Amino acid sequence: MPTLILVRHGRSTANTEGVLAGWTPGVALDERGAAQAAALPGRLAGLPLSEIVTSPLQRCRETIRPLLDARPGLRPHTDERIGECHYGDWSGRKLAELQDEPLMEVVQAHPSAAAFPGGESMRAMQTRAAEAVREWNARVERDHGADAVYLMCSHGDVIKSLVAEAIGLHLDLFQRISVEPCSVTAIRYTRLRPYLVRLGDTGDFAALAPREEPTGDDAPVGGGAGAP
């Protein structure tokens, strides 16, 4: 079965403004995010990508544009099932003010029970994304062979949930996973089990350095902004 390359979109204007974007239209890459996207073709130059699948949201489409320009033989496929979690009434709100919402504690400690008002549950997000991966695995293997490599550009919480699903980690523990903007995660699927072979690889260790301001113990909903 194929190897899936999961790329989180580059840093967005919502990331730097501390806003939970969700499906809010018009959220673009910021200057650093654009630079991250521009570097992506070089980082992936050694991979023979057979297909590129993307979330329909602008920040993902902007992230893969340089890669498509470098590989004119590939055309992108859009799949809403790997789009961002539908945060409903939380969309567009500042993360700092959401910390006081009682639901935030559930999102952090018991995400399989978290359902966003006016939106969807985190469990539903994981289910639709995993279904998309299974269908694309079958399609890629059929069209390109069992050793094919393909790429999906998606969002922090979606990628974390797919990693959890692949390694048999309960969704309630997925907040222990971190994927920074424009990070690369790779899952190799086989007949018996998936193998997580890369997780949140950016090639940049700046995010590991101590921060001037403590980041706190909670996982950033939506994935966070990465290194400053």
Side-chain angles (χ1 to χ4, degrees), residues 88-142:
D89 297 345
W90 279 27
S91 299
R93 293 179 61 187
K94 289 279 190 180
L95 287 165
E97 70 181 42
L98 290 171
Q99 294 301 321
D100 295 329
E101 294 281 353
L103 178 61
M104 182 59 82
E105 186 177 8
V106 182
V107 170
Q108 292 294 326
H110 191 19
S112 67
F116 296 97
E120 70 178 333
S121 68
M122 302 197 92
R123 189 173 62 254
M125 173 199 71
Q126 182 186 45
T127 298
R128 62 170 164 82
E131 181 180 83
V133 167
R134 283 192 289 272
E135 291 185 12
W136 276 102
N137 280 350
R139 177 173 172 175
V140 169
E141 182 172 6
R142 180 196 69 205

Side-chain angles (χ1 to χ4, degrees), residues 48-127:
L49 297 176
S50 58
E51 301 282 0
I52 294 180
V53 187
T54 183
S55 155
L57 294 173
Q58 178 179 339
R59 52 198 183 274
C60 286
R61 291 186 283 108
E62 290 181 353
T63 297
I64 63 166
R65 176 50 53 192
L67 186 60
L68 292 168
D69 290 343
R71 303 194 187 205
L74 288 175
R75 66 179 184 87
H77 304 275
T78 300
D79 194 324
E80 290 195 358
R81 294 174 297 177
I82 62 167
E84 181 63 284
C85 185
H86 290 276
Y87 295 117
D89 297 345
W90 279 27
S91 299
R93 293 179 61 187
K94 289 279 190 180
L95 287 165
E97 70 181 42
L98 290 171
Q99 294 301 321
D100 295 329
E101 294 281 353
L103 178 61
M104 182 59 82
E105 186 177 8
V106 182
V107 170
Q108 292 294 326
H110 191 19
S112 67
F116 296 97
E120 70 178 333
S121 68
M122 302 197 92
R123 189 173 62 254
M125 173 199 71
Q126 182 186 45
T127 298

